[in-house]
Amino acid sequence: MWLALVVAAAGATIGWPVVIGGQAADIALDEPRGVLYIANFTAGRVDVLSLDDLTIRTSMHVAPGPSSLALSRDGRYLVVTHYGNSQAPASPANGITLINLSSGARQTFSLGSPPLGVAFGVDGMALVATTTEFLRLDPASGRTEWIDSIEQEDEEDGAGSLPAAPGTPPVEIVAAAVGSSGDGRWIFGITDSIRFSYEVATKQLRRIHYTATPAHGPRVVSAARDGSYYAAGWGVFDRQGFLTAQFGNAAGLLAVGSHAIDSDAGILYAQIPQANGDPAAPPVLSVVDADNLTVRERFRLTENLAGRALLNSQADTLYSVSESGVLVIPVGNFARVPRITADQEDLVFHGNFCQRGAITRVLRLVDPSGGATSFVLNTDLAGVTISPTSGRTPATIQVKIAPAAFQDRRGTIIGQLTISSSQAVNLPGAVRILVNNRRPDERGSFTPIRGILADLVADPARDRFYVLRQDRNQVLVFDGSSLTLVSTLRTGTTPTRTAITVDRKHLLVGHENSQLLYVYDLDTLLPLPPIQMPRGHYPRSVAASANAILVASRVAGEEGHSIDRVDLVARTAVRLPALGVFQNAVHVDTILAATPNGSSVLVALADGTVMLYDAADDTFIASRKLGSALTGAVAASGFGQFLVGSTLLNGSLVPVGSWPGTEFPSGFAFVGGQGIRLTGPSTATGAGGTIERVDLTTGERIRPTRVGEQPLISSGLSAFTRNLAPLSNRSALIALTVSGITALPWDFDAATVPPTIQRVVNAADLTANVAPGSLISVFGTNLSPVNAATREIPLPTAIGESCLTANGAVIPMMFASPGQINAQLPVYLDGRVTMTLHTPGGVSDDYYLNLLPAAPAVFHSGTAGPMTSIPVVIKNSNQQLVTPSNPIRAGDEISVYATGLGPTSPEVEAGMPAPSSPLATTILVPEVRLGGVPLAVSFAGLAPGNVGVFQINARAPSNLPLGAEVPLTISQGGVTASVNLRVVE
Amino acid sequence: MRIFLLLLTALTAAAQEREIGFLAEVGFPTKAAITGTPASVTAGFAPGVGAGFLIGHDRYPRWSGEIRYEFRSGEARLASKGQNAAFSAQAHALRYDVIWHSRPKRERLRPYLAFGGGAKIYRGTGAEAAYRPLMEYAWLTRSSDTKPLLAVGGGIKVLLGERVLARFDFRDQLTPFPSKVVTPATRQKVRAWLHDFVPCFGLSWLF
C-alpha cells in the first residue's frame, strides 16, 4: 500500500523521504522486527523507522556521533560505532555501543582511534575498522580481538576531525565505509587510501593501497550476495580487489550518491553524480548491469542519496541514507510506475533523388506500466513538424520533414526530439532525428546505428566487420555482404579500441573504464576469459603484431601512462620497462595501429609523438615528435608506410607527404599500393564528406568523390579516429558516419552505368504473378552499387543508393544489390504499372508490369540444414518446416507463408508491419486444398509484425491422399499457387 | 488376435504337455541398399536387445508348436560415407513356429529345428524434424508398417527340472523392407528382404 503512496505522493520523482531531523550516517535493516535503524550522527541517537508506515516510532539515545551500524545476522545485537575524533581542547570520544535488542541491555566500549565502520560476518562476530587497526568484536562477551594494524602511511584514513566545518555531511567526516556480502562470508571496506577485504572463515585481511582521481565517492560499499564482487565508490571490484568496471566521469563526491547490488537480477542501483553535471538537474537513480554498468533505465529521485543503501530480502525496496535522512525507493514497483518509452531511438529521413516530397515517420510512445502518462515533445531542428506535440500514452506521433527545408545542405543534419513529462519518473532518452537528402553525385548507403561509435575494424578472414558501440558496451558484428547486424557482443565498461590477432582468431577490446582487456573467439563469437591488466592500468588501445600484443594504457596514479605487453596464452599483461631506448611514458590519448602482416605497430600520441614497434626486433625502433598535437586517422601499411592525421610517414616515421586542408582526416586505409582517404567537416554539422584515392608516391589526390554523410570526428575520449575499413572480400568500404555506418562501393569513383530492369517477379516463388502489396524481386544489371539490406521499419524508399518507383511514386525497399532488388508494391496500385529504377548511374528504362487483383505465391525461402528453397509451410505441432522428414498427417495444423493475397481489412500501407490487433485479414478468402481435398482455413491475413507477408492457418482433414509429393494449392481470384508436400498416415 | 485365440484353444484341448515362457534376445538385422542414387546408402535397423514370451504345446514325440511374441526397441538407421541418421523405432513380431526335435520328449537335451510365420510391425517413434541427415536418400518417419514374417532356425531345449525348461535358439526372421518407416526418397528405391538374426534365451514352465 505505502509503495503506491511513494510514487503518487512524489509526483514525477521516485522515493519517499523520511525526515529524521538530523543527518544520517548509516542504516541497518531489521526485517524480522519490521524496522530500519538510522544512525542520526548529528543528533546523537539511533532512530527506529517502522517499515510498515515509514514513520519513526522510537529513538535510542546513544553516545554522540553514531557513525556506523551493524546488525548481527541473528538479529540479536546492534553495534553502533561512535566517531568522536575531537580535537583539543575537547577530548576524543571514540567508542562502540553494543545493544542487545532482545533484552535492551547496552554496553559501551571506548576505542583508541576513530571508528571507520563495522560489519557482522557469518561467524556472528563484528569486524570493527578504525583508523589504526581492525578489531573482531564478540557481541556475546563484549571482548575484542586484534586482527591487524593499519600501517603508518594509512593513518590519515578517516581522520576527519571534529568539530567539522559547517555543511560537512557525516559521510564526509568519517570518509569510510564497510559492508558485508549477503552470505556474511566476506566483509569489504574502503577508506581514503585503502580498500580491504576480510574473509570471515579464515580471518584473513587483505589491504590494497590505492590512489584515485577523483576521490572514491560515493563513500559506500555494497557487495554481491556471494562476495564475488563488490562496489566501492565509483568502482566495481572483484573479491581480490581488481577493478573490473567503473562509472565514467564520476564527480567523486563522498556524500552524494549511493549504490546497492541486486545479485539475483545482476543489476546495480546507483546514483553516481557526474563531474560537470548540471547542478540544477534532478538526482538520478540508474539501474545498470552489475558486470559492465550498462544503463538499463534511469529514474528521477526525490532527493540525493547520501550514504549506505540496502535492499530488503525481497529485493523490491531500497532504503538509503539521503539528505533528509532516509529515502525509501520501491524498486520492485518500477514496472508499475508512470514511465515513457519510445519505440525507436532514431527517426531517419532519407530523401533521395526519387523523392523530394515530405517524408513522415511514425513514433510510438508508450508507458510500459500501461498507464496514460502525459508527455510533451520538442525538437531543436527547424523544418520538422510533430503531431501531436503533447498528449498521453499510448500515442502515435507523426514526425514530418519537408526535404525542401534541408535542400541546400549536404550530408546528414542531426537533431533531437526530446520527450519530457511531468508524470513519468523515468528519464526517456531523446530520439535522434537524422535528415539526409542525398544528391546524385553522392555515394554511400546508410545503416543507422544509434549511440557513440568508437572504433571500426574489418575482419581479414571473414566477411564481417566490427563496430564498437561505446555507450552500450557492445561490439556490433555486421555481415559484410548484407550490412546486417548478425551478433552483439557484450564488452566491459566503455570500450575504446579493438584489434584482431595476427592469427585472425581473436578479437581484443580495450576499455576506458575497466582494467580488463576483453577477448572473443571470432569463430564462435563467444567471449573468452578477459585479461587483467596491471593494477591501475586501463587498456585504451590495443594492437596485435606477429610478435607482441601491445596495449596503450591509461594508468591511474602517478606512475604515468604506459605501453603494456599482453600474453594471450598466459592471459597476463605487464608494463614494459622501457620502449627500446625510450622511456615507457606515453600520453593518455595514445593509439596503436598494427600493420596487416603484423610486422610492426605504429604508436601515435596525441601530444605529437609517434613511435614504431618492430615485431622482428621486438623493440621500438623509432620515435619522433611530429608537432604539438596529432589528431584524426591512424593507419599502418604492410609495406613500410604509415599515416597519422593527414601526414604520410615512411618506415623511419619521417613525414614524406601530407594533404593539408581544413577537412578533418577521419579515416584512411592502405589498399594495394594506394591510400584511400576519408575526410569530412571538422564539426558534426551537415556538410557531407569526401572519399578519395591518394597516390602514395606522388601524393596526388585521385578522383575525390562526395560521400552522402559526414564521417565521425574525434570524440571526447580520443583525438584519433578509425572510421574507414575496407572489407576483406573487396566488396565495399565501410565508414563510420554520423548516423551509423555508410557502405561505399569498392569502385566508388568508377564511372557510373545506368541500371537495366530485366524481370520483375514476386519474391515468394519468383513467378510473374504479382498483386498489389506483393513483395517483389527486381532482377537486372547495375541495380545498385553495393549490397545492402535494411532492418528499418517502416521500410525505407531507398537502399544502397537506389530507389524504385511505381507509376512515379517511390516504393518501400528491403534489399538492394547490383543484380537484384527486393521491394513491396503499394496496395493502392492495380492494372498496368510502370516501374523505374533510379541509381547514381542514372535512370532505367520503364518496365511494364501487369498486376492481378490477387496472386498468391508461397515463399520458398525456408532452410533446413543444408537444404534451401523449401516452401515455407510450418507444421504447428513442432513449429518446423514441412519437409519429407517432417510430413503432414490428417489433423495437422499448418501455417503457410505467402505473398500477393491482395487487399486486407484493415488496409496496411506498403512498407509498414502488419498489426497484431486487429489482425489484417484478406478480403478475398483463399481456397486451400491438399491433394484436392479442401482444408479448413482458420486465418488468412498478414502475418503480424511482418511486411507484406501473408499467413494462412489451416487444418488437414482426415481423408487426405497419401504420397511424397501431394500438391498443396492456394487459389484466390482465379490464380493458383502450388507446392508439393509429403503426406503420410 | 482371433487366430491366436483359436490356436490357444486347440492347444489347450489337445495338450499332453504345455509350455509358457519368457524370452530374452539380441537381434542383428541386416541392412538394405537404397538404389537409384550413385551414392552408397544403406538403410535398416540397429542391433538391439528385446524380450518376448511364448506359449507352446508338445503333444507328439518329436513335433511341437509354439506361438511367440517378441518386442524390440532400437533405432532405424541410414548410413552413407561416414554420415549417419537415426530415428527411434520399435518392432513387434508375432508368429507360430513348428518345431521338429531330434530327440523324443522327456530327454534332458533336445536339439530342434524350427520354421514358422506371422507378422512383424515396425514403428518409427522418434521426433520428426524438418531436416535429418541423408534425407536426400530416405526419410525416417513416425509411421507404422506391418510386414509378413518368415522365421527359420533351431536350438536346443534343456530340461532343468520336472517343470522348468531352458532354451537357447537362433532364428533368422525375414520380412520385406518396411518402407513406410524408412521411406526411400523420390526416385530412390529399396527392394530387399530384411534378415534379422536373433540369438535367444528362454525360460519356460511346463504344465
Side-chain angles (χ1 to χ4, degrees), chain A residues 36-54:
Chain A
L36 180 79
Y37 304 105
I38 306 165
N40 191 330
F41 184 82
T42 48
R45 61 177 192 252
V46 174
D47 295 318
V48 183
L49 175 76
S50 164
L51 302 183
D52 289 333
D53 57 8
L54 301 185

Side-chain angles (χ1 to χ4, degrees), chain A residues 875 880 883-885 889 982 985, chain B residues 128-130 139 141-142 183:
Chain A
K875 189 160 81 171
Q880 296 199 32
T883 64
S885 68
R889 293 180 177 78
R982 184 177 176 221
E985 288 179 273
Chain B
E128 288 171 344
W139 308 318
T141 312
R142 196 179 173 87
T183 310

Side-chain angles (χ1 to χ4, degrees), chain A residues 622-877:
Chain A
S623 177
R624 202 173 299 281
K625 188 85 172 176
L626 295 182
S628 59
L630 293 176
T631 185
V634 175
S637 77
F639 42 86
Q641 286 187 308
F642 305 91
L643 179 117
V644 180
S646 294
T647 304
L648 185 68
L649 309 172
N650 67 12
S652 296
L653 300 184
V654 175
V656 292
S658 68
W659 298 276
T662 58
E663 295 279 280
F664 181 79
S666 182
F668 195 94
F670 291 98
V671 176
Q674 285 186 323
I676 299 178
R677 186 166 176 263
L678 178 69
T679 59
S682 54
T683 63
T685 54
T690 302
I691 188 166
E692 61 192 358
R693 298 180 198 278
V694 290
D695 187 309
L696 298 174
T697 307
T698 64
E700 180 190 1
R701 300 166 65 173
I702 304 165
R703 294 190 292 279
T705 304
R706 288 187 179 278
V707 179
E709 184 168 270
Q710 61 273 33
L712 288 177
I713 57 174
S714 53
S715 69
L717 285 180
S718 177
F720 298 108
T721 54
R722 284 205 304 197
N723 293 340
L724 185 66
L727 295 183
S728 59
N729 61 7
R730 300 195 163 209
S731 62
L733 297 153
I734 305 299
L736 288 186
T737 54
V738 290
S739 72
I741 54 175
T742 297
L744 294 144
W746 193 261
D747 54 350
F748 59 85
D749 51 356
T752 54
V753 180
T756 303
I757 298 177
Q758 295 169 337
R759 193 161 59 105
V760 178
V761 294
N762 73 64
D765 61 10
L766 305 183
T767 61
N769 292 338
V770 292
S774 280
L775 296 176
I776 57 168
S777 292
V778 179
F779 293 97
T781 57
N782 302 307
L783 303 181
S784 169
V786 296
N787 292 335
T790 184
R791 289 187 175 182
E792 280 183 58
I793 295 289
L795 295 177
T797 52
I799 290 184
E801 306 180 60
S802 302
C803 52
L804 190 62
T805 65
N807 289 349
V810 289
I811 68 173
M813 297 169 62
M814 55 194 69
F815 172 73
S817 69
Q820 181 180 351
I821 282 176
N822 291 344
Q824 187 185 15
L825 287 172
V827 295
Y828 56 78
L829 292 176
D830 64 2
R832 184 179 164 92
V833 172
T834 304
M835 303 205 67
T836 312
L837 181 66
H838 300 246
T839 72
V843 182
S844 72
D845 291 339
D846 291 345
Y847 183 93
Y848 301 107
L849 186 65
N850 288 315
L851 302 194
L852 300 165
V858 179
F859 282 98
H860 282 62
S861 52
T863 60
M867 300 165 58
T868 57
S869 304
I870 301 171
V872 185
V873 180
I874 304 291
K875 189 160 81 171
N876 291 352
S877 59

Side-chain angles (χ1 to χ4, degrees), chain A residues 32 46 108 120 145 166 173 212 287 304-305 395 562 679 681 712 716 828 946:
Chain A
V46 174
T108 303
F120 270 99
E145 175 188 355
I173 295 170
V287 184
N304 278 315
L305 310 183
S562 70
T679 59
L712 288 177
Y828 56 78
N946 289 274

Side-chain angles (χ1 to χ4, degrees), chain A residues 350-361 403 437 797 803 805 810:
Chain A
H350 275 162
N352 52 60
F353 27 89
C354 291
Q355 182 181 31
R356 293 294 179 188
I359 306 174
T360 301
R361 292 282 179 260
N437 279 320
T797 52
C803 52
T805 65
V810 289

Side-chain angles (χ1 to χ4, degrees), chain A residues 94 191 199 219 446 596 601 705 721 770 830 869:
Chain A
N94 302 302
T191 72
E199 188 176 7
R219 194 48 60 86
F446 315 131
V601 175
T705 304
T721 54
V770 292
D830 64 2
S869 304

